[in-house]
Amino acid sequence: MEILKYPDRTQWKELCKRATMDVTTLFDTVRSVLDDVKANGDAAIRKYEKLFDKVDLDEIRVSETEMKEAESLIPDDLKDAIRVAKGNIERFHASQRFEGKKVETSPGVICWQKAVPIDKVGLYIPGGTAPLFSTVLMLAVPARIAGCQEIVLCTPPTDNGKIHPAILYAASVAGVDCICKVGGSQAIAAMAYGTETVPKVYKIFGPGNQYVTAAKQWVSLKDVAIDMPAGPSEVEVIADASAHPDFIAADFLSQAEHGKDSQAMMITTDLSIVEPLVDAIQKQLEKLPRKSITEQALSHSRIIVLKDKQEIIDFTNLYAPEHLIIQTADYAAIAGQIRNAGSVFMGEYTPESAGDYASGTNHTLPTNGYAHAYSGVNLDSFIKKMTFQEINANGIRSLGKTICVMAENECLEAHRNAVIVRLKTIEQDETI
Amino acid sequence: MEILKYPDRTQWKELCKRATMDVTTLFDTVRSVLDDVKANGDAAIRKYEKLFDKVDLDEIRVSETEMKEAESLIPDDLKDAIRVAKGNIERFHASQRFEGKKVETSPGVICWQKAVPIDKVGLYIPGGTAPLFSTVLMLAVPARIAGCQEIVLCTPPTDNGKIHPAILYAASVAGVDCICKVGGSQAIAAMAYGTETVPKVYKIFGPGNQYVTAAKQWVSLKDVAIDMPAGPSEVEVIADASAHPDFIAADFLSQAEHGKDSQAMMITTDLSIVEPLVDAIQKQLEKLPRKSITEQALSHSRIIVLKDKQEIIDFTNLYAPEHLIIQTADYAAIAGQIRNAGSVFMGEYTPESAGDYASGTNHTLPTNGYAHAYSGVNLDSFIKKMTFQEINANGIRSLGKTICVMAENECLEAHRNAVIVRLKTIEQDETI
């Protein structure tokens, strides 16, 4: 953990750097898998599942029996928790429904937008030691609210050919249509191109390792949309002397335990809180089961003391954190000046873990400074806004000249003619 | 022009194919330019402008004098037209402003979204024979309404080192901050990385040739967001016996004149309108200045006769056209069933050229079937929706158990602890 006191603004860009990997270097590797799945479908999936996940797949698709079995394996407290979280995610994302307004931009010229769900979406849920059932909720619940006709979920099986029951249970609660036992870049290929078993989708969501990320990037170039480019997770905590050191330490560590490439930053103008924070971090760290991962993440994490509030705001807008926690007396005033962040957690009783799981906001957020240009996943991510327009005779008559002059000046005569033939017909009709 | 009568559904996928180029094959070519501009800034820009645009650039940035000169060169009718179009684009995009609602997802847990403009955006406007000033309006007007702090525009100079006055005038009317004489992949690099003269932006918009497209795709992998993947422009016209053959022909040709890789499709159930349409196309084509380009586009354009209305709707949703013109007696009913299209033009007096220039809808739209997952450019394209949440003591107390159970089951102990430390403090405070 690096502690920096009053770094000069010229150093800030360096301080905002993340431990990202250039996944484009993996393109050649993943392309061989992508091309193979595109050409050979299910057979290629089975081959790579045997190679990478050490499993001989019988059925690729999860069966009804497996779904029922999963439900029986989940303890009641987890079932309750998943249902509470689902309800909050549903309430927040349902509030994001979009209703287009009809606008008469000129007399007789009516334009509007209409939100239409993406027909088929694909969700990727990584495997590994911990089952990310929370991500299933974060992606499938808004997809369902948006009205997507088909929700496909791919996740790697364990070596006994099973999927963790919490993932299956969350998928069932959230309304996923089709769950397939496929992981890695072969899963991304399956959803991008379609196989005998895995339906082709139009947009792929979800986290993954560098191979999954590289595969998503590659297929996004021409075959399918993706949620956003991915990088390691990160948090920035803004705190002042009013903040409880144990709270900041806990938030810091809950970010750091995500993975060894995670990053946590604490920004303050109060030098006095640095020592108590470092002590609290040390104390809490000792008790963590994921201590070794967490320590590696802390090694590129930073505590930065800045001169004044303006510097805090400017630094934050430059860093553009995925998660921003503000624990200061004037947290609302600071939050009002943040322009670049994925999700903002305001006040002492709003830990990041609330948003990670259950408050209702989405936890799929822009990392690596992408918050400068990207939103986190939200209802918009599962819809398109199509535009419509309807012009009547009066409308084309009044707007016709404008269109003709512009088309002429762009040397597009047929564009002009599309107006002229209509104006002529209207004139003739009137003469009759 | 191919005429197909009652093709079987199994053939449809083939009929929906576009004449696209795989721009990933150009990555190696454009990367040398991108890397050079990243390393050498303005010097590299000057080098490539000399090489590709045959111009020795004095100043890269357009001066105030050049802006004034441009204004004096524009005829009054074009000025008026640009201002009318700007007004309509402004009215329609201003109606898209987003106001986030505060939602209490659980007692004491408040979540909301807030729209925040992307600080800096870059617009690319191609050079060539026709000055695309309409695209300047389509991109800069919504950027201004969204509240972007800096709007940068790059466009290649002609060989006398000038920019077409209509582009400069449109940029000035729309409120562009900084116009630079740079084209091709060197322009994309300049905006993605920044140079001494060209500001670094966070999102790049606009059309371009295959090198520009390849460069945009490459930088979108890690450095900067882009509007959407690009392909050749296209239109689908749905018509019945009530449609005027001259109108359909004009719309068909106004798409085809865009470029030799453009595609126009006419879909109908009325065999009787095919012959009059072909005649009208032939007649109008003869008079077009861009006849040779248009003919090449027509060579991969299609007239398709289908069995019934359901086939028309299904085919259209599969093709997912960039532009969809519906000229049938029941156009509103058909429009209501379209799920995949960029922009829909309803009724006989609504030519595509209205939307291309002046009705108010955006003309930067998803091509190549991307309308399955992408919206056209709209106000959302220039903002991010950040989420905020504020939880009070009561809120964390009621939601705490849910978070803890979920964190425990995902094996993330520090996430659980971030709630536990808070609950303990609340309990202690209450005991006192």
Side-chain angles (χ1 to χ4, degrees):
Chain A
M1 217 160 45
E2 212 181 345
I3 300 176
L4 294 116
K5 291 175 191 166
Y6 311 111
D8 191 75
R9 279 184 185 248
T10 55
Q11 292 173 259
W12 287 10
K13 214 177 149 186
E14 195 56 35
L15 293 178
C16 287
K17 283 222 173 122
R18 276 83 162 176
T20 48
M21 185 199 164
D22 181 357
V23 295
T24 61
T25 59
L26 300 176
F27 276 171
D28 288 341
T29 311
V30 298
R31 276 180 67 186
S32 66
V33 177
L34 296 173
D35 291 345
D36 195 359
V37 174
K38 191 176 187 175
N40 302 305
D42 284 356
I45 289 181
R46 288 178 205 281
K47 183 173 97 185
Y48 292 113
E49 281 309 316
K50 180 143 179 96
L51 187 65
F52 298 134
D53 291 327
K54 315 290 172 214
V55 57
D56 256 320
L57 276 185
D58 189 15
E59 293 294 324
I60 292 173
R61 191 165 170 171
V62 171
S63 69
E64 264 311 304
T65 319
E66 286 173 298
M67 293 303 285
K68 279 190 192 125
E69 190 190 38
E71 190 171 346
S72 73
L73 290 170
I74 302 287
D76 283 343
D77 67 341
L78 181 54
K79 277 187 189 165
D80 289 345
I82 286 176
R83 290 193 170 276
V84 169
K86 188 232 174 190
N88 286 351
I89 296 165
E90 202 161 52
R91 269 183 287 282
F92 186 53
H93 289 78
S95 80
Q96 297 165 18
R97 282 207 183 90
F98 170 82
E99 210 46 79
K101 287 185 280 279
K102 291 204 174 184
V103 181
E104 189 163 12
T105 56
S106 286
V109 180
I110 318 271
C111 304
W112 66 99
Q113 289 179 298
K114 182 181 166 186
V116 184
I118 298 173
D119 286 345
K120 299 178 186 200
V121 296
L123 319 181
Y124 183 77
I125 303 295
T129 46
L132 291 184
F133 56 84
S134 62
T135 305
V136 176
L137 297 180
M138 292 293 173
L139 299 176
V141 170
R144 190 47 72 208
I145 294 169
C148 299
Q149 293 179 3
E150 189 160 13
I151 306 173
V152 179
L153 188 155
C154 286
T155 189
T158 51
D159 54 11
N160 64 357
K162 299 269 185 190
I163 306 291
H164 194 288
I167 287 181
L168 296 185
Y169 181 72
S172 147
V173 166
V176 174
D177 300 295
C178 168
I179 306 170
C180 296
K181 299 172 183 175
V182 201
S185 47
Q186 62 270 28
I188 303 306
M191 294 192 281
Y193 309 127
T195 72
E196 299 90 324
T197 307
V198 185
K200 185 228 175 322
V201 302
Y202 296 109
K203 191 168 184 178
I204 298 176
F205 296 78
N209 64 19
Q210 66 269 39
Y211 295 101
V212 169
T213 302
K216 276 176 69 186
Q217 294 267 32
W218 184 262
V219 296
S220 80
L221 293 171
K222 44 190 175 158
D223 300 301
V224 62
I226 62 169
D227 45 2
M228 66 188 90
S233 189
E234 71 218 9
V235 73
E236 179 190 318
V237 184
I238 300 175
D240 65 10
S242 77
H244 201 305
D246 272 348
F247 295 5
I248 322 174
D251 294 339
F252 219 73
L253 292 168
S254 70
Q255 185 59 49
E257 78 171 342
H258 265 297
K260 54 183 201 275
D261 51 3
S262 288
Q263 186 172 63
M265 307 274 258
M266 201 284 284
I267 314 291
T268 188
T269 55
D270 285 315
L271 197 52
S272 65
I273 67 168
V274 174
E275 219 183 281
L277 172 62
V278 173
D279 289 348
I281 289 174
Q282 209 47 52
K283 220 172 283 170
Q284 291 182 22
L285 176 65
E286 291 308 319
K287 295 180 201 152
L288 291 182
R290 290 164 73 93
K291 186 179 164 195
S292 130
I293 289 173
T294 310
E295 275 177 328
Q296 287 177 72
L298 289 179
S299 73
H300 42 253
S301 292
R302 301 186 178 112
I303 294 174
I304 305 176
V305 186
L306 295 174
K307 271 204 310 254
D308 53 32
K309 206 162 289 175
Q310 192 56 50
E311 280 205 351
I312 285 192
I313 289 158
D314 293 347
F315 183 90
T316 306
N317 283 327
L318 185 70
Y319 183 57
E322 181 192 11
H323 306 97
L324 174 65
I325 303 179
I326 313 178
Q327 292 183 56
T328 62
D330 60 346
Y331 62 82
I334 292 181
Q337 293 188 71
I338 301 306
R339 294 194 315 277
N340 302 315
S343 195
V344 182
F345 300 78
M346 295 167 61
E348 58 181 342
Y349 295 124
T350 317
E352 185 200 309
S353 50
D356 284 344
Y357 288 116
S359 63
T361 59
N362 211 288
H363 79 197
T364 306
L365 296 166
T367 55
N368 196 32
Y370 296 126
H372 279 288
Y374 289 90
S375 311
V377 165
N378 63 86
L379 202 63
D380 286 350
S381 313
F382 298 90
I383 60 151
K384 305 102 55 179
K385 290 181 181 170
M386 287 164 53
T387 52
F388 290 80
Q389 58 199 292
E390 186 172 356
I391 304 178
N392 63 24
N394 197 23
I396 196 70
R397 210 156 28 190
S398 71
L399 202 56
K401 198 190 158 193
T402 296
I403 302 167
C404 289
V405 170
M406 291 177 82
E408 216 179 317
N409 279 278
E410 286 195 354
C411 314
L412 294 173
E413 175 59 22
H415 280 63
R416 197 180 78 93
N417 191 49
V419 174
I420 297 296
V421 291
R422 286 169 166 94
L423 293 180
K424 271 189 193 154
T425 307
I426 294 171
E427 263 174 51
Q428 282 164 3
D429 289 353
E430 280 169 354
T431 325
I432 296 163
Chain B
M1 218 159 47
E2 214 181 343
I3 300 176
L4 295 116
K5 291 175 191 166
Y6 311 110
D8 191 75
R9 280 183 184 248
T10 54
Q11 290 174 261
W12 288 10
K13 213 175 151 191
E14 194 56 35
L15 293 178
C16 287
K17 283 221 171 122
R18 277 82 161 177
T20 48
M21 186 200 166
D22 181 358
V23 296
T24 62
T25 59
L26 300 175
F27 276 172
D28 288 342
T29 311
V30 299
R31 278 181 66 186
S32 65
V33 176
L34 295 173
D35 291 346
D36 195 0
V37 174
K38 191 176 188 175
N40 302 305
D42 284 355
I45 288 181
R46 287 178 206 282
K47 185 173 98 185
Y48 292 113
E49 282 308 316
K50 182 144 176 92
L51 188 65
F52 299 134
D53 291 327
K54 316 291 173 214
V55 58
D56 256 319
L57 276 185
D58 189 15
E59 293 293 326
I60 291 172
R61 190 165 170 171
V62 171
S63 69
E64 264 310 305
T65 319
E66 287 172 297
M67 293 302 283
K68 280 192 192 125
E69 190 189 37
E71 191 172 347
S72 72
L73 290 171
I74 303 286
D76 283 343
D77 66 341
L78 181 54
K79 278 188 189 165
D80 290 345
I82 286 177
R83 292 196 168 274
V84 169
K86 187 230 174 192
N88 286 351
I89 297 165
E90 202 161 53
R91 269 183 288 281
F92 186 52
H93 289 79
S95 80
Q96 297 165 18
R97 282 206 184 90
F98 170 82
E99 210 46 79
K101 286 185 281 278
K102 291 204 175 185
V103 181
E104 189 162 14
T105 55
S106 285
V109 180
I110 318 272
C111 304
W112 67 99
Q113 288 179 299
K114 182 180 166 186
V116 184
I118 298 173
D119 287 345
K120 298 177 187 202
V121 295
L123 319 181
Y124 184 76
I125 304 294
T129 46
L132 291 184
F133 56 87
S134 61
T135 306
V136 177
L137 297 180
M138 292 294 174
L139 299 176
V141 170
R144 190 47 72 210
I145 293 169
C148 300
Q149 292 179 3
E150 190 161 11
I151 305 173
V152 179
L153 188 155
C154 285
T155 189
T158 52
D159 54 11
N160 64 357
K162 299 271 185 190
I163 307 290
H164 193 287
I167 287 182
L168 296 184
Y169 181 73
S172 148
V173 166
V176 174
D177 300 296
C178 168
I179 305 171
C180 296
K181 299 171 183 173
V182 201
S185 47
Q186 62 270 28
I188 303 305
M191 294 192 279
Y193 309 127
T195 72
E196 300 89 325
T197 306
V198 185
K200 185 229 176 322
V201 302
Y202 296 110
K203 190 168 184 178
I204 298 176
F205 296 79
N209 64 20
Q210 66 268 41
Y211 296 100
V212 169
T213 302
K216 277 176 69 186
Q217 294 268 33
W218 184 262
V219 298
S220 79
L221 293 171
K222 44 191 176 160
D223 299 301
V224 62
I226 62 169
D227 44 3
M228 67 188 89
S233 189
E234 72 218 7
V235 73
E236 179 190 319
V237 183
I238 300 175
D240 65 9
S242 77
H244 200 307
D246 273 347
F247 296 6
I248 322 174
D251 294 340
F252 219 73
L253 291 168
S254 71
Q255 185 59 50
E257 78 171 341
H258 266 297
K260 56 182 197 274
D261 51 4
S262 289
Q263 187 173 63
M265 306 274 257
M266 200 284 285
I267 314 291
T268 188
T269 55
D270 285 316
L271 196 54
S272 66
I273 67 169
V274 174
E275 217 183 281
L277 172 61
V278 172
D279 288 347
I281 289 175
Q282 209 46 53
K283 220 174 281 171
Q284 290 183 21
L285 176 64
E286 291 307 317
K287 296 181 200 151
L288 291 182
R290 290 164 74 95
K291 187 180 162 192
S292 132
I293 289 173
T294 310
E295 276 176 327
Q296 288 176 72
L298 288 179
S299 73
H300 41 253
S301 291
R302 299 184 182 115
I303 294 175
I304 305 176
V305 186
L306 295 174
K307 272 203 310 251
D308 53 31
K309 208 163 287 175
Q310 193 55 50
E311 282 206 349
I312 286 192
I313 289 157
D314 293 347
F315 183 91
T316 306
N317 283 326
L318 184 71
Y319 183 57
E322 180 191 13
H323 306 97
L324 174 65
I325 303 178
I326 313 178
Q327 292 182 57
T328 62
D330 59 346
Y331 61 84
I334 292 180
Q337 293 187 72
I338 301 305
R339 296 194 316 277
N340 303 315
S343 195
V344 182
F345 299 78
M346 295 166 62
E348 58 180 342
Y349 296 124
T350 316
E352 186 201 308
S353 50
D356 284 343
Y357 288 116
S359 63
T361 59
N362 211 288
H363 78 197
T364 306
L365 295 166
T367 55
N368 197 32
Y370 296 127
H372 279 288
Y374 289 89
S375 310
V377 164
N378 63 86
L379 202 64
D380 287 350
S381 314
F382 298 90
I383 60 153
K384 303 102 54 178
K385 289 180 180 172
M386 287 165 52
T387 51
F388 290 78
Q389 58 198 292
E390 186 172 356
I391 303 178
N392 63 24
N394 197 23
I396 196 71
R397 209 157 27 191
S398 72
L399 202 57
K401 197 188 158 195
T402 296
I403 301 167
C404 289
V405 170
M406 290 177 81
E408 216 178 318
N409 279 277
E410 285 194 356
C411 314
L412 293 173
E413 175 60 22
H415 280 64
R416 196 180 78 93
N417 192 48
V419 174
I420 298 295
V421 292
R422 286 168 167 94
L423 293 181
K424 271 190 192 151
T425 307
I426 294 172
E427 262 174 49
Q428 280 163 7
D429 288 353
E430 280 169 354
T431 326
I432 293 161

